[in-house]
Amino acid sequence: MTQDKEPDYKKLYTLLRTMIDHAPDLIWAKDLEKKHLIVNQANCDKLLLCQTPKEAEGKDHLYFANRERRNNTPYTFGETCEDSDDVVMQTARPGRFLEDGIVRGKYLALDVNKAPIFDESGRMTGIVGCGRDVTEEIRIKKETDQLKDQLRQSQKMEAIGTLAGGIAHDLN
């Protein structure tokens, strides 16, 4: 009989770290105090605005929001992230959220999925999440909606013009 050997956790961590740091989406895990346990490089680059994932570990979103405010940059992601974290922690259920705000003077929107983390005894120990940048999709949808509204308005005006022309022709 062959005996299963214990996994090499150091190799697994290195593998996991490499995978998440090369993912284009934002990935993270937080403890129950909402402090980052792990984040990937995309999260650092797009949202937390720090150089390395190591710099984010042990800090919460409000740390980064307050840092941005000190630089006179409006930054609302901290509160948005806190609110959705609360929902997942209070319900102990996964959730999907649109988190958006201003980062370095630019609008950023993320389609975020979050889920609770449980230990072996079933006790919640934190949350994990991933977020995809949907800023461009939202911009395109707004532009499309505006064009549709303009087209509807134009069609209404054309119909009124046709009706008015018909009435004028009948009166003549």
Side-chain angles (χ1 to χ4, degrees):
M1 289 182 82
T2 59
Q3 186 176 9
D4 291 336
K5 62 179 184 175
E6 189 71 22
D8 184 341
Y9 291 108
K10 192 170 189 169
K11 283 184 182 177
L12 287 173
Y13 176 82
T14 301
L15 175 66
L16 173 65
R17 184 84 248 173
T18 302
M19 287 170 54
I20 70 166
D21 279 337
H22 288 87
D25 292 340
L26 287 66
I27 300 170
W28 64 90
K30 297 178 188 177
D31 62 19
L32 291 177
E33 294 176 2
K34 302 178 190 168
K35 299 204 183 314
H36 291 96
L37 300 170
I38 190 169
V39 300
N40 70 339
Q41 191 61 49
N43 201 330
C44 293
D45 297 342
K46 288 186 178 183
L47 181 60
L48 299 178
L49 307 176
C50 55
Q51 297 299 312
T52 66
K54 206 69 162 153
E55 186 183 340
E57 291 171 10
K59 297 176 180 84
D60 61 14
H61 277 292
L62 294 180
Y63 167 85
F64 296 100
N66 291 332
R67 188 183 67 177
E68 283 297 302
R69 283 194 193 96
R70 284 193 300 273
N71 293 332
N72 295 321
T73 302
Y75 187 94
T76 61
F77 259 97
E79 291 81 3
T80 304
C81 295
E82 290 284 307
D83 291 347
S84 59
D85 286 353
D86 288 340
V87 169
V88 173
M89 288 181 185
Q90 289 167 5
T91 64
R93 302 186 91 148
R96 185 173 180 190
F97 309 90
L98 176 66
E99 296 181 354
D100 63 344
I102 305 299
V103 179
R104 287 191 184 162
K106 293 183 181 176
Y107 177 76
L108 176 68
L110 299 175
D111 179 11
V112 174
N113 289 284
K114 294 182 178 182
I117 306 169
F118 299 99
D119 65 13
E120 304 81 35
S121 66
R123 190 175 56 93
M124 188 186 317
T125 60
I127 59 173
V128 294
C130 63
R132 175 160 289 167
D133 185 348
V134 293
T135 309
E136 188 64 15
E137 288 90 338
I138 288 176
R139 184 191 64 76
I140 290 169
K141 184 179 179 336
K142 283 183 182 177
E143 284 181 9
T144 302
D145 289 348
Q146 287 175 340
L147 288 172
K148 285 179 182 177
D149 288 345
Q150 288 173 356
L151 178 61
R152 273 193 291 277
Q153 185 65 25
S154 174
Q155 289 171 334
K156 285 179 191 176
M157 295 306 286
E158 182 181 351
I160 290 171
T162 302
L163 181 62
I167 292 172
H169 182 267
D170 287 348
L171 289 176
N172 283 338

